[in-house]
Amino acid sequence: MESAWVNTTLDLSINPFSHTNKAPKREADGKMAEFDGKSPVKQETGILVEELNRVSAENKRLTEMLTALCEHYTILQKQYKELVSKNIETESSKKRKADCEDYSTAMIGFTANADSSCSDENSFRKPKECIHAKISRACVRTDPSDNSLIVRDGYQWRKYGQKVTRDNPSPRAYFKCSFAPTCPVKKKVQRSAEDPSILVATYEGEHNHTHHSPAALSSLSPANSGAAAANNNPRSAPVSSSFAPAVTLDLMKPAGSDGETKKPTQQVDQPAIQQILVQQMAASLTRDPNFTATLAASISGNFVHRKW
DNA sequence: CGTCTTTGACCAGCGC
DNA sequence: GCGCTGGTCAAAGACG
């Protein structure tokens, strides 16, 4: 389900006039108009009207594409929900959870937040804790060459253990929330066995403090990974700026009543997800210096080429 | 010197 | 009961 990853990047290299070569043509038309002896104002007006119509048509076409994309996304998400519910039913019949755990399934669909239910990893081992502890899972795509098991989520974590598990060659790191001494939240981070570029973070419990960490605001932005990483783990080297954009949501959002714990997090309202996505895209873009630089270059380039 | 990470040891749960 | 496995502890070392 690679298509489930939400790509928030923009291709700024697209020149709106490139496919029609309107700009050079318009320039040429203007020169020709001088030779034709027609009114340059009328020529310019006609060109502008034509361009306006073209832009409107393109806008309409893009809107239709976006609508179709959203519809496809909705359909895919529904299919994923059905798959997850089926998996929960089948997995609950198995005795040992470790045999049925598959991180890749946790990444399916909306990979940012997969709030696990009692069918999750501790359900068979610690059924009592499962009732009280909120368990959620997040998948973050990282640079495959980056060996650090750091997931920047805005909180401060203290590593208290590392273990190599049976079904995954990469070690699993254990973290406790160090922001508040009484905070019971624990986090396990391990690379996906199938895709080493993906870090799977499993959170247990709920934070009993507010999200004061400065990195909390910047954690959603890959561009600020350096500062966030410094806050999260001052001693570790800053994560490469080539960090792929990963959607990261508030992982500690309450999953609701106990009766609802059987449902995966993907049950969140569709408009809410879209709103979060839009906010994250905007935040990610506006905080990325590369984006602003590229945008400025693109705009200035357009001005130069178009010779307004 | 204080804080944090590392890592081997220990403990508990589970299956056989 | 034994072995396997995951989770946690705590001493030692690194780092600023």
Side-chain angles (χ1 to χ4, degrees), chain A residues 48-210:
Chain A
L48 285 175
V49 169
E50 181 187 352
E51 191 169 321
L52 180 63
N53 290 335
R54 187 189 59 78
V55 170
S56 298
E58 188 172 348
N59 186 25
K60 185 179 178 181
R61 187 170 55 86
L62 289 172
T63 304
E64 290 173 355
M65 288 173 61
L66 182 62
T67 305
L69 191 66
C70 289
E71 288 176 358
H72 291 156
Y73 174 73
T74 305
I75 293 170
L76 280 173
Q77 196 173 39
K78 284 180 180 177
Q79 292 176 351
Y80 168 63
K81 288 175 185 175
E82 293 174 0
L83 278 174
V84 167
S85 60
K86 286 179 181 177
N87 281 342
I88 287 174
E89 290 175 2
T90 55
E91 287 178 7
S92 61
S93 63
K94 297 178 181 179
K95 290 184 178 180
R96 192 175 180 91
K97 195 262 155 197
D99 294 336
C100 62
E101 182 179 28
D102 184 3
Y103 284 132
S104 62
T105 57
M107 296 156 27
I108 296 173
F110 203 64
T111 61
N113 188 358
D115 202 357
S116 306
S117 64
C118 285
S119 67
D120 203 329
E121 113 178 271
N122 292 324
S123 56
F124 299 102
R125 198 155 290 144
K126 299 176 182 177
K128 292 180 181 178
E129 291 181 10
C130 192
I131 299 175
H132 302 290
K134 299 283 192 299
I135 300 175
S136 60
R137 186 180 296 172
C139 302
V140 178
R141 189 179 290 275
T142 66
D143 189 340
S145 62
D146 182 14
N147 294 326
S148 64
L149 292 172
I150 297 173
V151 175
R152 299 181 305 281
D153 50 18
Y155 291 94
Q156 283 185 303
W157 300 94
R158 180 178 62 84
K159 188 177 180 181
Y160 66 91
Q162 182 166 318
K163 199 83 173 179
V164 177
T165 55
R166 188 172 57 92
D167 48 358
N168 195 331
S170 63
R172 174 184 297 173
Y174 299 90
F175 297 90
K176 285 179 181 175
C177 181
S178 62
F179 188 83
T182 59
C183 184
V185 178
K186 295 175 185 175
K187 177 173 78 169
K188 292 180 286 187
V189 180
Q190 189 175 29
R191 293 195 175 274
S192 171
E194 296 184 355
D195 189 352
S197 66
I198 295 174
L199 280 178
V200 181
T202 305
Y203 296 82
E204 296 180 20
E206 272 185 294
H207 293 279
N208 57 7
H209 54 85
T210 53

Side-chain angles (χ1 to χ4, degrees), chain A residues 280-296:
Chain A
Q280 288 172 356
M281 287 185 206
S284 176
L285 289 174
T286 54
R287 285 175 186 149
D288 190 347
N290 293 331
F291 168 75
T292 53
T294 309
L295 181 62

